[in-house]
Amino acid sequence: QASRLAELPYSSFDDHDDDDDDDRSLPRDTAEQDPGVWYPDPPKPSPFSRCVRYLAFLWNLFFLLLGLLVLAVGVWGLLAKGPLPGGQRGVPVGSDPMLFFVLAGLGASAVSLAGCLGAFRASPCLLRFFLGALLTFGGLEVLGGLLLLLARRRLRDALRDLLLLCLLRYQQDPDLQFLVDELQRSLQCCGLESYRDWESNPYFNCSAPGVQACGVPASCCQHPLENGSVPNAQCGFGALGLGAAAAGAVVHTGGC
């Protein structure tokens, strides 16, 4: 009897512990078998949220294609640019205007791709990156606008000096020459303030020894095509040696 009494508490406690363990293990096993009890399924998105999601995807897809197009134009401009007659490039790659198109295309493509994937897969990380990039670009634009407003006089003088420098280096950089010609041709203007500004160019100055002396580029001409179809590269030769009335009949005398 003594031995039985000594064993009773031990056995009863063990039985009680076993029962408690069974009771505690029951919900755990049930949770492992049926995880929906503890982690219910997320609610399905509403039709409005789906519409917003698809619109965000299509909008970012459009800007992704546009960024890839700008990137392709920049790469094509860097690769297709021919060397100068001396066998050297007109401008280093680091200061090439086409590099701006490459960087702008890369930035727009990266941000738009993050927006597309974030909207398609509902990824919070990509959506945060997309939103942060938009806020950063928007802040930089606002800051740039404020700087332009505060320093507009200095920027106007700096822009004037830059344009005069473009006139001086017109023959040295094919990209710069293309931009100046397109500007004068589209705006139907010549020079910065008047066609006389081309006298500062060493090749168009009247004291220059070449055939371009006392002339202006063909993009200044009022009729740059000969017989209506053939470009006439010499239509502006001798325009600086004419009077204002005679030169007005050949070239555009107003500045850009």
Side-chain angles (χ1 to χ4, degrees), residues 105-221:
L106 284 176
S109 300
V111 175
S112 301
L113 181 61
C116 283
L117 295 179
F120 182 74
R121 299 179 59 88
S123 174
C125 181
L126 292 176
L127 290 177
R128 290 192 191 98
F129 171 77
F130 174 71
L131 181 60
L134 288 184
L135 292 177
T136 301
F137 290 151
L140 291 177
E141 289 180 359
V142 172
L143 181 60
L146 292 176
L147 292 178
L148 288 176
L149 184 62
L150 294 176
R152 58 184 181 274
R153 292 184 179 179
R154 295 182 180 179
L155 291 175
R156 182 178 58 187
D157 296 338
L159 181 60
R160 175 184 173 84
D161 297 339
L162 179 62
L163 292 177
L164 288 176
L165 185 62
C166 292
L167 299 184
L168 291 175
R169 298 182 178 180
Y170 176 77
Q171 285 88 353
Q172 301 176 9
D173 188 354
D175 290 325
L176 183 61
Q177 182 176 353
F178 172 77
L179 292 176
V180 171
D181 287 339
E182 287 297 321
L183 178 65
Q184 293 187 146
R185 190 178 295 112
S186 59
L187 297 181
Q188 295 183 355
C189 57
C190 186
L192 183 58
E193 295 182 354
S194 69
Y195 73 107
R196 291 288 180 183
D197 293 333
W198 284 104
E199 293 180 355
S200 59
N201 187 282
Y203 294 92
F204 291 119
N205 190 279
C206 292
S207 60
V211 294
Q212 295 179 339
C214 266
V216 294
S219 57
C220 292
C221 297

Side-chain angles (χ1 to χ4, degrees), residues 27-42:
R28 187 181 304 167
D29 297 338
T30 306
E32 291 178 357
Q33 294 176 2
D34 191 7
V37 175
W38 299 98
Y39 301 100
D41 295 334

Side-chain angles (χ1 to χ4, degrees), residues 17 39 61 64 69 75 77 87-88 96 100 120 122 127 130 140 168 178 187 202 207 217-218 224 232 234 242:
D17 293 341
Y39 301 100
L61 181 62
L64 174 61
L69 178 62
V75 173
Q88 298 179 354
D96 199 304
F100 171 77
F120 182 74
L127 290 177
F130 174 71
L140 291 177
L168 291 175
F178 172 77
L187 297 181
S207 60
N232 185 10
Q234 301 179 0
L242 302 176

Side-chain angles (χ1 to χ4, degrees), residues 235-252:
C235 61
F237 286 5
L240 295 177
L242 302 176
V250 179
V251 299
H252 301 286

Side-chain angles (χ1 to χ4, degrees), residues 3-154:
S3 63
R4 288 180 180 179
L5 292 174
E7 292 176 357
L8 281 176
Y10 180 77
S11 61
S12 64
F13 287 150
D14 288 343
D15 295 339
H16 182 69
D17 293 341
D18 292 341
D19 294 340
D20 293 341
D21 292 340
D22 293 340
D23 294 340
R24 287 194 298 267
S25 64
L26 181 60
R28 187 181 304 167
D29 297 338
T30 306
E32 291 178 357
Q33 294 176 2
D34 191 7
V37 175
W38 299 98
Y39 301 100
D41 295 334
K44 295 183 179 180
S46 62
F48 178 75
S49 62
R50 289 183 180 178
C51 182
V52 172
R53 180 178 174 183
Y54 293 149
L55 286 178
F57 174 78
L58 294 176
W59 183 259
N60 285 282
L61 181 62
F62 170 74
F63 278 97
L64 174 61
L65 297 177
L66 185 62
L68 292 177
L69 178 62
V70 175
L71 177 62
V73 170
V75 173
W76 172 80
L78 290 176
L79 297 178
K81 187 181 301 181
L84 294 177
Q88 298 179 354
R89 293 179 61 89
V91 64
V93 178
S95 59
D96 199 304
M98 290 298 171
L99 187 62
F100 171 77
F101 289 92
V102 175
L103 296 178
L106 284 176
S109 300
V111 175
S112 301
L113 181 61
C116 283
L117 295 179
F120 182 74
R121 299 179 59 88
S123 174
C125 181
L126 292 176
L127 290 177
R128 290 192 191 98
F129 171 77
F130 174 71
L131 181 60
L134 288 184
L135 292 177
T136 301
F137 290 151
L140 291 177
E141 289 180 359
V142 172
L143 181 60
L146 292 176
L147 292 178
L148 288 176
L149 184 62
L150 294 176
R152 58 184 181 274
R153 292 184 179 179
R154 295 182 180 179

